[in-house]
Amino acid sequence: MKLIKFLLLGIFFGIVMTKSEVVSWFRIQEMFRFQAFHMYGVIGTAVVLGAIIVFLIKKTKLKNNEGHPIEFHDKAFSIYRYLFGGIIFGLGWALTGACPGPIFVLIGNGYVVFILVALSAILGTFTYGLIRDKLPH
Amino acid sequence: MIELISQPWPWYVAGAGIALVLFLANWLGGEFGVSGALGTMCSMCGAGKKVPFFNVNWRNQLWNVVFVFGALIGGFVAGTWLSSPNDIQLSAATVQDLGNLGITDFTGLAPAEVFGLDQIFTLRTLVFAILGGFLVGFGTRYAGGCTSGHAISGLSNLQLPSLIAVIGFFIGGLAMTHLLLPFFMNL
């Protein structure tokens, strides 16, 4: 049942990402060239509303639909992994014009080449797991 | 109704929609972070036998992979039945900059010169897809999240590590866009 709910949520997400053009390679280029407000508006609205949602969930100690309290975990502080990992992802984001969600949304939109992007992203994740002990975190 | 939905959605509708996904993902007993699904896929494929990092009970994380599969279906639904006949209204400056890089086709969601199916066996397209995808998959797991996990979920929870990650996203994205992209476009 939980899986069906997440399937429906994913479908909604895919429609939002497509209709708002967030999955567009061109829109990502526009963002990294600071030539339009669109992407900043999308992310900014999501973060402001998200912060209010997280604040209210914590304040009201809201329970999830399974009856357990909704918990937010603080991320362990470090600089290396977030900065280096972030830079590596950013390079790939600007090249493919897609972060992980949009890769799959674009496949659904009929962009067959992104199947290759997805497979390579899974390989990249696997490679990280393989060599993570050798990386500064 | 369909005609209204088929118009491109403004940024504030998209932002509100993403915030709603953030809320529902938490309320349904999960969280909003897409790149974790890539790790779960590795675990499902048996990567845990060789690499301890993936040796987790992936069945507990299956909702994440199902969400991503839903996103793919959502892309199909939007692209098939809700698509707008007009091109994306890009800024003129971006059209000019990308034109200087050799991009002339601004239809659809990605340039046909690079991501068209007929280009799949060209060196340029293979590099964009394989190198780009690898950097996305490697970088997001190294950073512990992507745009959804860090920029949306993490910043919404006022996490300093997520701010560092987002700064990293932009350092990488700006370097690729302004320094490296001309090289890759000339492949």
Side-chain angles (χ1 to χ4, degrees), chain B:
Chain B
M1 187 64 186
I2 290 288
E3 277 173 32
L4 181 69
I5 296 174
S6 297
Q7 302 291 320
W9 296 3
W11 53 268
Y12 46 87
V13 174
I18 292 168
L20 181 62
V21 173
L22 167 75
F23 171 73
L24 288 174
N26 280 286
W27 188 67
L28 294 172
E31 57 189 4
F32 183 45
V34 179
S35 66
L38 297 172
T40 309
M41 288 177 198
C42 289
S43 299
M44 288 169 70
C45 295
K49 291 192 191 105
K50 290 209 163 95
V51 182
F53 180 66
F54 298 111
N55 190 11
V56 295
N57 188 357
W58 54 265
R59 283 176 185 82
N60 294 338
Q61 299 295 318
L62 198 55
W63 56 267
N64 210 337
V65 175
V66 171
F67 176 83
V68 167
F69 182 64
L72 190 155
I73 297 173
F76 176 79
V77 169
T80 308
W81 292 297
L82 306 174
S83 113
S84 159
N86 304 318
D87 291 348
I88 291 175
Q89 296 292 306
L90 287 170
S91 93
T94 305
V95 172
Q96 189 176 0
D97 283 359
L98 295 178
N100 291 339
L101 289 173
I103 290 171
T104 54
D105 187 345
F106 290 89
T107 58
L109 298 168
E113 289 98 335
V114 181
F115 295 103
L117 185 54
D118 56 339
Q119 301 292 319
I120 195 161
F121 293 119
T122 62
L123 177 66
R124 181 167 71 181
T125 297
L126 288 173
V127 168
F128 268 73
I130 294 175
L131 176 67
F134 189 90
L135 292 169
V136 168
F138 186 95
T140 52
R141 242 3 38 231
Y142 191 1
C146 57
T147 327
S148 51
H150 276 308
I152 310 291
S153 297
L155 290 186
S156 291
N157 193 25
L158 312 178
Q159 296 291 301
L160 183 58
S162 293
L163 184 61
I164 298 171
V166 172
I167 291 169
F169 299 170
F170 268 81
I171 295 173
L174 291 173
M176 177 55 73
T177 300
H178 297 276
L179 302 176
L180 302 172
L181 197 60
F183 167 77
F184 287 115
M185 283 301 297
N186 281 324
L187 284 175

Side-chain angles (χ1 to χ4, degrees), chain A residues 14-83:
Chain A
I15 293 172
V16 171
M17 296 301 270
T18 303
K19 289 312 300 172
S20 60
E21 302 167 346
V22 171
V23 296
S24 162
W25 187 91
F26 304 110
R27 284 287 188 207
I28 302 303
Q29 278 296 307
E30 227 180 22
M31 174 180 80
F32 282 130
R33 292 170 192 277
F34 302 105
Q35 288 166 336
F37 174 72
H38 186 81
M39 286 297 302
Y40 296 99
V42 173
I43 296 172
T45 311
V47 171
V48 170
L49 293 176
I52 295 170
I53 288 168
V54 171
F55 174 79
L56 289 175
I57 288 175
K58 286 177 173 174
K59 184 99 178 159
T60 60
K61 298 189 170 65
L62 187 72
K63 290 187 167 63
N64 66 24
N65 74 333
E66 294 165 341
H68 305 295
I70 299 176
E71 289 171 348
F72 295 95
H73 303 284
D74 286 343
K75 296 178 195 294
F77 186 77
S78 138
I79 292 183
Y80 290 119
R81 73 171 300 184
Y82 301 114
L83 191 61

